[in-house]
Amino acid sequence: MGIIKNLDNSEGIKKIKEIAEDIRVCMFCTGVDSLPFETRPMSTLEVDEQGNFWFFSSIDSNKNLEIVQDDQVQLIYSKPSDSHFMSVYGRAEISKDRKKIEQLWNGFAKAWFKDGKADPQLSVICIKPEQAYYWDTQHGHMVSLLKIAIAAISDKQMDDGVEGEILVK
């Protein structure tokens, strides 16, 4: 049985940043009130000091059109090799803020936006989290693997997990 450790304020934002910036790519889900909901992989550009998630997107993409209809989104991060997982529910805002685009720009994004930072299709999406939950290990990957091996050959139960709600507001 794992440990429940809920996090809030700066500790919660630190955990959100740690997991999202380590994994980087999440499954970005829209239309979460209906089934099947839409999902696609998206690269996280930044988690800011307030715990907001930032992404680039084309202004006329299905994702942006879906956000205009319903701003509720779910972000799902998963890195089984390190036992890091996180689910974030929040509200999305679409912007063409040139200052933010300039701040977040990286050369990798040019693969999608041929005119670079000045591409007229380029927008940024800010996700303001309302709920988040994480699953992690207490002692890191190598200790967890050792504990799993010991648990597998003995009658001991694996107890290295830590999980909890992240409250950011």
Side-chain angles (χ1 to χ4, degrees):
M1 184 67 136
I3 294 172
I4 303 294
K5 184 177 180 188
N6 295 329
L7 307 172
D8 61 9
N9 301 322
S10 63
E11 192 178 25
I13 292 171
K14 181 179 175 186
K15 178 56 83 174
I16 281 174
K17 285 179 70 66
E18 173 189 314
I19 292 175
E21 291 178 356
D22 175 49
I23 298 172
R24 284 281 172 209
V25 175
C26 70
M27 294 307 293
F28 188 113
C29 309
T30 54
V32 296
D33 276 347
S34 61
L35 294 175
F37 53 83
E38 299 296 325
T39 188
R40 76 281 292 154
M42 293 286 292
S43 182
T44 307
L45 297 170
E46 175 187 55
V47 177
D48 66 24
E49 298 305 314
Q50 291 75 44
N52 299 316
F53 294 72
W54 292 89
F55 301 88
F56 282 144
S57 182
S58 179
I59 198 71
D60 62 356
S61 68
N62 286 342
K63 171 186 2 59
N64 283 40
L65 297 173
E66 291 157 4
I67 289 169
V68 168
Q69 296 294 317
D70 179 1
D71 66 353
Q72 298 175 87
V73 298
Q74 187 90 26
L75 308 176
I76 302 169
Y77 291 85
S78 175
K79 188 175 182 185
S81 63
D82 287 342
S83 297
H84 296 301
F85 306 93
M86 182 170 62
S87 174
V88 177
Y89 168 82
R91 301 285 177 164
E93 294 179 4
I94 301 167
S95 169
K96 292 195 69 141
D97 180 336
R98 289 287 144 203
K99 185 177 176 183
K100 193 65 178 178
I101 289 170
E102 180 74 34
Q103 175 195 343
L104 296 172
W105 184 257
N106 62 64
F108 188 67
K110 187 144 179 143
W112 285 272
F113 301 100
K114 62 180 172 38
D115 293 331
K117 296 177 263 193
D119 195 306
Q121 294 300 307
L122 180 57
S123 70
V124 287
I125 298 175
C126 175
I127 307 302
K128 296 181 181 220
E130 293 183 0
Q131 291 179 313
Y133 203 88
Y134 75 101
W135 298 263
D136 209 346
T137 60
Q138 294 181 67
H139 306 293
H141 184 63
M142 292 308 292
V143 172
S144 292
L145 287 176
L146 181 59
K147 285 185 158 212
I148 290 169
I150 290 169
I153 61 174
S154 71
D155 288 338
K156 290 187 145 204
Q157 185 175 357
M158 173 67 176
D159 68 348
D160 193 47
V162 60
E163 63 182 88
E165 189 173 357
I166 301 173
L167 308 168
V168 293
K169 302 286 180 209

